[in-house]
mmCIF file of all heavy atoms in Angstrom:
data_model
loop_
_atom_site.group_PDB
_atom_site.id
_atom_site.type_symbol
_atom_site.label_atom_id
_atom_site.label_comp_id
_atom_site.label_asym_id
_atom_site.label_seq_id
_atom_site.Cartn_x
_atom_site.Cartn_y
_atom_site.Cartn_z
ATOM 1 N N LEU A 1 0.827 -1.197 0.000
ATOM 2 C CA LEU A 1 0.000 0.000 0.000
ATOM 3 C C LEU A 1 0.866 1.254 0.000
ATOM 4 O O LEU A 1 0.602 2.207 -0.742
ATOM 5 C CB LEU A 1 -0.920 -0.009 1.231
ATOM 6 C CG LEU A 1 -1.872 1.183 1.404
ATOM 7 C CD1 LEU A 1 -2.805 1.311 0.204
ATOM 8 C CD2 LEU A 1 -2.679 1.024 2.697
ATOM 9 N N LYS A 2 1.893 1.256 0.823
ATOM 10 C CA LYS A 2 2.810 2.405 0.888
ATOM 11 C C LYS A 2 3.459 2.658 -0.466
ATOM 12 O O LYS A 2 3.527 3.800 -0.942
ATOM 13 C CB LYS A 2 3.877 2.158 1.953
ATOM 14 C CG LYS A 2 4.905 3.281 2.059
ATOM 15 C CD LYS A 2 5.944 2.977 3.132
ATOM 16 C CE LYS A 2 6.998 4.074 3.202
ATOM 17 N NZ LYS A 2 8.016 3.811 4.263
ATOM 18 N N SER A 3 3.930 1.587 -1.089
ATOM 19 C CA SER A 3 4.589 1.701 -2.389
ATOM 20 C C SER A 3 3.642 2.278 -3.438
ATOM 21 O O SER A 3 4.022 3.146 -4.239
ATOM 22 C CB SER A 3 5.085 0.324 -2.831
ATOM 23 O OG SER A 3 5.670 0.383 -4.104
ATOM 24 N N HIS A 4 2.386 1.812 -3.424
ATOM 25 C CA HIS A 4 1.401 2.286 -4.392
ATOM 26 C C HIS A 4 1.058 3.755 -4.155
ATOM 27 O O HIS A 4 0.939 4.547 -5.103
ATOM 28 C CB HIS A 4 0.137 1.434 -4.310
ATOM 29 C CG HIS A 4 -0.833 1.700 -5.414
ATOM 30 N ND1 HIS A 4 -2.192 1.542 -5.277
ATOM 31 C CD2 HIS A 4 -0.652 2.139 -6.691
ATOM 32 C CE1 HIS A 4 -2.791 1.856 -6.403
ATOM 33 N NE2 HIS A 4 -1.880 2.218 -7.275
ATOM 34 N N ILE A 5 0.915 4.138 -2.900
ATOM 35 C CA ILE A 5 0.568 5.528 -2.582
ATOM 36 C C ILE A 5 1.688 6.482 -2.971
ATOM 37 O O ILE A 5 1.426 7.588 -3.473
ATOM 38 C CB ILE A 5 0.236 5.668 -1.081
ATOM 39 C CG1 ILE A 5 -1.083 4.964 -0.774
ATOM 40 C CG2 ILE A 5 0.144 7.150 -0.679
ATOM 41 C CD1 ILE A 5 -1.459 4.951 0.695
ATOM 42 N N LEU A 6 2.931 6.074 -2.778
ATOM 43 C CA LEU A 6 4.061 6.924 -3.174
ATOM 44 C C LEU A 6 4.018 7.228 -4.674
ATOM 45 O O LEU A 6 4.324 8.344 -5.102
ATOM 46 C CB LEU A 6 5.385 6.245 -2.810
ATOM 47 C CG LEU A 6 5.736 6.229 -1.311
ATOM 48 C CD1 LEU A 6 6.980 5.388 -1.063
ATOM 49 C CD2 LEU A 6 5.931 7.656 -0.790
ATOM 50 N N LYS A 7 3.600 6.230 -5.463
ATOM 51 C CA LYS A 7 3.466 6.448 -6.911
ATOM 52 C C LYS A 7 2.328 7.420 -7.203
ATOM 53 O O LYS A 7 2.431 8.265 -8.107
ATOM 54 C CB LYS A 7 3.215 5.112 -7.612
ATOM 55 C CG LYS A 7 4.395 4.161 -7.560
ATOM 56 C CD LYS A 7 4.062 2.826 -8.207
ATOM 57 C CE LYS A 7 5.232 1.845 -8.092
ATOM 58 N NZ LYS A 7 4.899 0.520 -8.667
ATOM 59 N N ILE A 8 1.239 7.311 -6.447
ATOM 60 C CA ILE A 8 0.092 8.200 -6.626
ATOM 61 C C ILE A 8 0.475 9.640 -6.282
ATOM 62 O O ILE A 8 0.123 10.589 -6.991
ATOM 63 C CB ILE A 8 -1.096 7.744 -5.757
ATOM 64 C CG1 ILE A 8 -1.622 6.404 -6.246
ATOM 65 C CG2 ILE A 8 -2.223 8.787 -5.769
ATOM 66 C CD1 ILE A 8 -2.660 5.769 -5.334
ATOM 67 N N LEU A 9 1.217 9.815 -5.187
ATOM 68 C CA LEU A 9 1.650 11.153 -4.765
ATOM 69 C C LEU A 9 2.497 11.811 -5.844
ATOM 70 O O LEU A 9 2.353 13.005 -6.123
ATOM 71 C CB LEU A 9 2.451 11.054 -3.459
ATOM 72 C CG LEU A 9 1.699 10.557 -2.225
ATOM 73 C CD1 LEU A 9 2.637 10.471 -1.030
ATOM 74 C CD2 LEU A 9 0.518 11.462 -1.903
ATOM 75 N N GLU A 10 3.366 11.022 -6.446
ATOM 76 C CA GLU A 10 4.220 11.550 -7.518
ATOM 77 C C GLU A 10 3.400 11.893 -8.751
ATOM 78 O O GLU A 10 3.603 12.940 -9.382
ATOM 79 C CB GLU A 10 5.300 10.517 -7.871
ATOM 80 C CG GLU A 10 6.302 11.006 -8.901
ATOM 81 C CD GLU A 10 7.380 9.978 -9.192
ATOM 82 O OE1 GLU A 10 7.389 8.911 -8.551
ATOM 83 O OE2 GLU A 10 8.212 10.243 -10.085
ATOM 84 N N LEU A 11 2.457 11.042 -9.077
ATOM 85 C CA LEU A 11 1.617 11.245 -10.257
ATOM 86 C C LEU A 11 0.719 12.464 -10.106
ATOM 87 O O LEU A 11 0.524 13.240 -11.057
ATOM 88 C CB LEU A 11 0.765 9.996 -10.497
ATOM 89 C CG LEU A 11 -0.129 9.980 -11.740
ATOM 90 C CD1 LEU A 11 0.724 9.996 -13.000
ATOM 91 C CD2 LEU A 11 -1.029 8.757 -11.737
ATOM 92 N N GLU A 12 0.174 12.654 -8.905
ATOM 93 C CA GLU A 12 -0.770 13.744 -8.660
ATOM 94 C C GLU A 12 -0.092 15.028 -8.165
ATOM 95 O O GLU A 12 -0.760 16.039 -7.957
ATOM 96 C CB GLU A 12 -1.816 13.299 -7.628
ATOM 97 C CG GLU A 12 -2.726 12.179 -8.090
ATOM 98 C CD GLU A 12 -3.661 12.601 -9.210
ATOM 99 O OE1 GLU A 12 -3.898 13.816 -9.371
ATOM 100 O OE2 GLU A 12 -4.149 11.715 -9.929
ATOM 101 N N HIS A 13 1.208 14.972 -7.968
ATOM 102 C CA HIS A 13 1.966 16.137 -7.476
ATOM 103 C C HIS A 13 1.365 16.672 -6.176
ATOM 104 O O HIS A 13 1.072 17.863 -6.033
ATOM 105 C CB HIS A 13 1.997 17.249 -8.536
ATOM 106 C CG HIS A 13 2.549 16.803 -9.850
ATOM 107 N ND1 HIS A 13 3.882 16.489 -10.049
ATOM 108 C CD2 HIS A 13 1.930 16.597 -11.049
ATOM 109 C CE1 HIS A 13 4.070 16.120 -11.302
ATOM 110 N NE2 HIS A 13 2.910 16.172 -11.930
ATOM 111 N N THR A 14 1.167 15.785 -5.239
ATOM 112 C CA THR A 14 0.610 16.161 -3.946
ATOM 113 C C THR A 14 1.385 15.443 -2.847
ATOM 114 O O THR A 14 2.275 14.631 -3.134
ATOM 115 C CB THR A 14 -0.889 15.815 -3.867
ATOM 116 O OG1 THR A 14 -1.435 16.321 -2.652
ATOM 117 C CG2 THR A 14 -1.106 14.313 -3.925
ATOM 118 N N ASP A 15 1.063 15.739 -1.584
ATOM 119 C CA ASP A 15 1.819 15.125 -0.488
ATOM 120 C C ASP A 15 0.972 14.253 0.435
ATOM 121 O O ASP A 15 1.486 13.653 1.367
ATOM 122 C CB ASP A 15 2.525 16.197 0.341
ATOM 123 C CG ASP A 15 1.553 17.191 0.960
ATOM 124 O OD1 ASP A 15 0.390 17.243 0.513
ATOM 125 O OD2 ASP A 15 1.949 17.908 1.886
ATOM 126 N N LYS A 16 -0.352 14.174 0.160
ATOM 127 C CA LYS A 16 -1.226 13.370 1.020
ATOM 128 C C LYS A 16 -2.338 12.708 0.221
ATOM 129 O O LYS A 16 -2.642 13.113 -0.902
ATOM 130 C CB LYS A 16 -1.848 14.237 2.123
ATOM 131 C CG LYS A 16 -0.871 14.741 3.159
ATOM 132 C CD LYS A 16 -1.606 15.451 4.299
ATOM 133 C CE LYS A 16 -0.625 15.916 5.361
ATOM 134 N NZ LYS A 16 -1.298 16.513 6.535
ATOM 135 N N VAL A 17 -2.957 11.705 0.850
ATOM 136 C CA VAL A 17 -4.127 11.040 0.268
ATOM 137 C C VAL A 17 -5.177 10.841 1.352
ATOM 138 O O VAL A 17 -4.878 10.904 2.546
ATOM 139 C CB VAL A 17 -3.773 9.660 -0.345
ATOM 140 C CG1 VAL A 17 -2.830 9.804 -1.509
ATOM 141 C CG2 VAL A 17 -3.219 8.722 0.727
ATOM 142 N N ASN A 18 -6.408 10.611 0.933
ATOM 143 C CA ASN A 18 -7.490 10.203 1.827
ATOM 144 C C ASN A 18 -7.701 8.707 1.640
ATOM 145 O O ASN A 18 -7.890 8.252 0.509
ATOM 146 C CB ASN A 18 -8.787 10.939 1.490
ATOM 147 C CG ASN A 18 -8.691 12.429 1.747
ATOM 148 O OD1 ASN A 18 -8.488 12.873 2.865
ATOM 149 N ND2 ASN A 18 -8.834 13.225 0.680
ATOM 150 N N LEU A 19 -7.665 7.955 2.719
ATOM 151 C CA LEU A 19 -7.846 6.504 2.632
ATOM 152 C C LEU A 19 -9.263 6.101 3.037
ATOM 153 O O LEU A 19 -9.759 6.525 4.080
ATOM 154 C CB LEU A 19 -6.852 5.783 3.550
ATOM 155 C CG LEU A 19 -5.363 5.958 3.240
ATOM 156 C CD1 LEU A 19 -4.531 5.226 4.294
ATOM 157 C CD2 LEU A 19 -5.023 5.437 1.848
ATOM 158 N N ILE A 20 -9.910 5.296 2.208
ATOM 159 C CA ILE A 20 -11.190 4.676 2.551
ATOM 160 C C ILE A 20 -10.943 3.176 2.492
ATOM 161 O O ILE A 20 -10.735 2.607 1.426
ATOM 162 C CB ILE A 20 -12.306 5.080 1.577
ATOM 163 C CG1 ILE A 20 -12.523 6.599 1.609
ATOM 164 C CG2 ILE A 20 -13.606 4.355 1.926
ATOM 165 C CD1 ILE A 20 -13.587 7.102 0.645
ATOM 166 N N ALA A 21 -10.923 2.548 3.660
ATOM 167 C CA ALA A 21 -10.494 1.153 3.743
ATOM 168 C C ALA A 21 -11.613 0.244 4.224
ATOM 169 O O ALA A 21 -12.260 0.513 5.238
ATOM 170 C CB ALA A 21 -9.287 1.039 4.673
ATOM 171 N N HIS A 22 -11.808 -0.843 3.508
ATOM 172 C CA HIS A 22 -12.843 -1.810 3.870
ATOM 173 C C HIS A 22 -12.228 -3.021 4.560
ATOM 174 O O HIS A 22 -11.178 -3.519 4.161
ATOM 175 C CB HIS A 22 -13.603 -2.269 2.622
ATOM 176 C CG HIS A 22 -14.601 -3.357 2.894
ATOM 177 N ND1 HIS A 22 -14.459 -4.637 2.406
ATOM 178 C CD2 HIS A 22 -15.739 -3.362 3.648
ATOM 179 C CE1 HIS A 22 -15.471 -5.385 2.814
ATOM 180 N NE2 HIS A 22 -16.259 -4.640 3.573
ATOM 181 N N SER A 23 -12.871 -3.478 5.627
ATOM 182 C CA SER A 23 -12.486 -4.707 6.329
ATOM 183 C C SER A 23 -10.996 -4.705 6.704
ATOM 184 O O SER A 23 -10.504 -3.758 7.291
ATOM 185 C CB SER A 23 -12.852 -5.913 5.454
ATOM 186 O OG SER A 23 -12.724 -7.120 6.167
ATOM 187 N N LYS A 24 -10.262 -5.756 6.355
ATOM 188 C CA LYS A 24 -8.848 -5.853 6.719
ATOM 189 C C LYS A 24 -8.028 -4.719 6.139
ATOM 190 O O LYS A 24 -6.947 -4.394 6.658
ATOM 191 C CB LYS A 24 -8.287 -7.203 6.258
ATOM 192 C CG LYS A 24 -6.797 -7.380 6.514
ATOM 193 C CD LYS A 24 -6.320 -8.732 6.038
ATOM 194 C CE LYS A 24 -4.803 -8.800 6.000
ATOM 195 N NZ LYS A 24 -4.240 -7.992 4.898
ATOM 196 N N GLY A 25 -8.518 -4.082 5.096
ATOM 197 C CA GLY A 25 -7.796 -2.949 4.516
ATOM 198 C C GLY A 25 -7.565 -1.845 5.536
ATOM 199 O O GLY A 25 -6.582 -1.100 5.452
ATOM 200 N N GLY A 26 -8.467 -1.748 6.527
ATOM 201 C CA GLY A 26 -8.290 -0.762 7.580
ATOM 202 C C GLY A 26 -7.109 -1.097 8.474
ATOM 203 O O GLY A 26 -6.385 -0.212 8.939
ATOM 204 N N LEU A 27 -6.890 -2.401 8.722
ATOM 205 C CA LEU A 27 -5.748 -2.839 9.528
ATOM 206 C C LEU A 27 -4.443 -2.618 8.763
ATOM 207 O O LEU A 27 -3.432 -2.205 9.343
ATOM 208 C CB LEU A 27 -5.896 -4.317 9.899
ATOM 209 C CG LEU A 27 -7.183 -4.709 10.635
ATOM 210 C CD1 LEU A 27 -7.168 -6.208 10.955
ATOM 211 C CD2 LEU A 27 -7.364 -3.889 11.901
#
């Protein structure tokens, strides 16, 4: 998840994301 988000941050030229996590995704 961390690796994927780092790519998103670079792509979107931003420094944060909002996470919406279902079930184990929250853990």
Side-chain angles (χ1 to χ4, degrees):
L1 180 59
K2 178 180 178 179
S3 177
H4 190 209
I5 290 176
L6 287 173
K7 293 177 183 178
I8 293 171
L9 296 178
E10 184 178 357
L11 183 65
E12 295 292 339
H13 304 290
T14 186
D15 60 344
K16 292 187 178 185
V17 296
N18 294 298
L19 297 177
I20 299 178
H22 175 247
S23 190
K24 177 180 167 288
L27 304 181

